[in-house]
Amino acid sequence: MRKWGISVIVFLLGTHPLLAQVDTTEVDLNHLPAPRLFQIACAQCHGPDGRGYPDGAWRELTALRVPPPDFTDPLFSSLEPLADWIGVIREGGKPYGLSIQMPAFGEALSEEKIRELAEYLKSLGADPRYPPGELAYPRLLNATKPFPESEALWIVWQENRPHRPTIRKATLYWAQRWGPRRQWELKLTPEWSASSYEALEVEVGFKQALAHSLSAQWLLSAGLEAAFYLKGNEPWSLQPYLTGIKGLGERAALHASLRLLYEPTSEEPALLRWVLGGQLLMANRARLLAPAIEWVGERALASGAPLHHRLVPQLFLTPPRRGHVALALGVEFPLHRQASYRYRLRGFLLWEFLEGPFWEGW
Ligand code: HEC
């Protein structure tokens, strides 16, 4: 039978005057149902309804230095994998890059009780329209990410060509959740060649999650992007796409996307591009290391020009404990003859801004 440690009780009594009325000394918390346990052990910081005092009253009512989250918010609730919440309740906030004021309950509560509490918290914000965060597999360099995200990326791209100057692009990319299943995005891509500024591409996009299943680990989305040049002579384009993900157990995932690049004003108006990717997932709490390989194929639809394809080995990693900042690096090798380039270096730096400031949680 596990009992509360004296230090936890003293700590809790100190956090909120209401708790002084609860005699926890001889209660085995593991016998309480999750909602009751929440009231005794969690509500003084998370609020009696799990909303964490969204009116800002947490400043007066608690001794917290960061606002506790609103567990009834379906967006917040859907984004956090259940396993992470179980981990935070067991080990406390610190190993997850969260506030050290979130205590560890692994000593006081059984593993089953912790899971029950985490599931209870999930039920507060449950809304089946929102795709669950478990399906937000790490972004690959070519396949379009199916999960609707709120994140900012800095994407770099360099093409090394035989006997010609290297081309460099750096994209600023901003994606924002919009409702339960949608996302809009904006990309700005300046392009340099031999240190002269050649072009500026602007792209706006929209994505919608079509269907998903958490138990079968898949998510399918569709989207449309429009790209045009503010500087440079490239034609404008419309790009409808379908993209999906299928998890294979805990440690692997398959990515696939199919995109039509439609350039009404160019000689080759329609190009089909498909991407197949395999990814391994090595997780340590919220931190992740994910090596992957993609096969990218491209074919012009009208002329029946030969298939162009390439292989892209790559690595994705999240250095901070909170897992909200990630880095990816990869190389593209052309597999067809007469490729116009030797190889391309690709990479991005990613920040999920809903998870907090860039510099916190390392
Ligand atoms: C002394 C105050 C305090 C108590 C008691 C407390 N928490 Fe927390 N908890 C926090 C704070 C503060 C955060 C937010 C940490 C952050 O955002 O950096 C948090 C975060 C969490 C999170 C992670 C949410 C996320 O951002 O992913 C979970 C899950 C959670 N608490 C569950 C519980 C449960 C269950 C209990 C009771 C068994 C509990 N907490 C008791 C202060 C507390």
Side-chain angles (χ1 to χ4, degrees):
M1 236 175 60
R2 297 187 203 203
K3 294 250 160 70
W4 279 96
I6 287 298
S7 57
V8 177
I9 297 164
V10 171
F11 170 73
L12 289 179
L13 291 180
T15 12
H16 198 277
L18 274 182
L19 258 174
Q21 299 161 14
V22 184
D23 177 15
T24 51
T25 39
E26 284 307 316
V27 184
D28 178 10
L29 294 170
N30 287 304
H31 288 152
L32 297 175
R36 176 93 187 98
L37 182 51
F38 181 83
Q39 293 306 323
I40 292 179
C42 323
Q44 75 274 17
C45 293
H46 288 287
D49 50 5
R51 297 177 68 213
Y53 314 102
D55 53 1
W58 60 276
R59 289 175 204 278
E60 293 90 60
L61 293 177
T62 70
L64 298 177
R65 288 190 292 273
V66 293
D70 179 356
F71 289 119
T72 68
D73 171 4
L75 178 60
F76 170 72
S77 170
S78 65
L79 290 179
E80 304 293 328
L82 181 71
D84 283 6
W85 280 6
I86 291 176
V88 171
I89 300 170
R90 186 199 303 122
E91 300 170 71
K94 193 172 175 217
Y96 288 81
L98 298 173
S99 163
I100 53 165
Q101 289 184 301
M102 167 60 203
F105 291 89
E107 295 282 311
L109 299 176
S110 69
E111 193 60 24
E112 303 84 78
K113 207 32 94 174
I114 289 175
R115 167 172 284 270
E116 206 185 309
L117 264 176
E119 282 169 354
Y120 167 67
L121 293 182
K122 277 275 166 196
S123 74
L124 299 178
D127 183 333
R129 292 174 303 162
Y130 289 73
E134 280 85 348
L135 301 177
Y137 289 90
R139 181 185 286 276
L140 297 184
L141 290 170
N142 287 283
T144 309
K145 188 172 186 177
F147 197 85
E149 288 283 4
S150 285
E151 53 193 20
L153 276 87
W154 183 51
I155 305 169
V156 291
W157 185 100
Q158 169 172 323
E159 186 173 273
N160 289 63
R161 304 180 292 176
H163 319 298
R164 282 155 73 208
T166 298
I167 308 177
R168 295 195 177 88
K169 295 191 221 174
T171 302
L172 285 176
Y173 170 89
W174 187 269
Q176 183 89 45
R177 277 294 285 259
W178 171 28
R181 314 177 66 80
R182 292 184 188 145
Q183 173 210 293
W184 63 263
E185 67 189 34
L186 180 68
K187 280 187 206 168
L188 285 181
T189 308
E191 197 176 311
W192 290 268
S193 160
S195 78
S196 73
Y197 169 45
E198 302 269 341
L200 176 63
E201 185 188 11
V202 180
E203 194 185 289
V204 286
F206 165 80
K207 177 162 77 194
Q208 161 124 28
L210 298 175
H212 68 265
S213 161
L214 177 57
S215 55
Q217 295 184 281
W218 61 266
L219 167 65
L220 182 69
S221 298
L224 179 67
E225 288 166 17
F228 53 93
Y229 282 78
L230 285 184
K231 178 178 161 67
N233 301 320
E234 299 289 321
W236 64 276
S237 70
L238 274 181
Q239 305 183 12
Y241 64 84
L242 264 181
T243 182
I245 177 89
K246 168 82 182 103
L248 305 171
E250 301 269 288
R251 307 220 187 291
L254 291 177
H255 299 238
S257 56
L258 182 65
R259 178 181 286 257
L260 177 72
L261 291 94
Y262 177 59
E263 296 179 346
T265 57
S266 83
E267 274 174 32
E268 286 281 8
L271 190 87
L272 202 60
R273 179 187 297 156
W274 59 92
V275 187
L276 284 177
Q279 186 174 49
L280 293 177
L281 306 157
M282 301 173 213
N284 176 6
R285 302 197 178 90
R287 275 190 177 136
L288 195 69
L289 183 68
I293 186 148
E294 287 177 296
W295 170 53
V296 186
E298 239 169 43
R299 168 162 269 159
L301 286 184
S303 67
L307 169 70
H308 280 199
H309 51 153
R310 46 195 198 259
L311 271 187
V312 195
Q314 55 196 276
L315 190 66
F316 175 103
L317 79 159
T318 53
R321 280 175 291 142
R322 195 178 288 183
H324 66 315
V325 173
L327 202 69
L329 283 175
V331 191
E332 290 195 4
F333 297 106
L335 292 181
H336 52 281
R337 285 163 197 273
Q338 291 112 28
S340 61
Y341 61 97
R342 285 201 189 100
Y343 61 90
R344 292 177 184 146
L345 297 177
R346 305 273 308 262
F348 62 72
L349 178 69
L350 177 159
W351 167 42
E352 290 178 28
F353 50 83
L354 290 187
E355 303 282 330
F358 186 91
W359 56 89
E360 273 182 14
W362 293 70

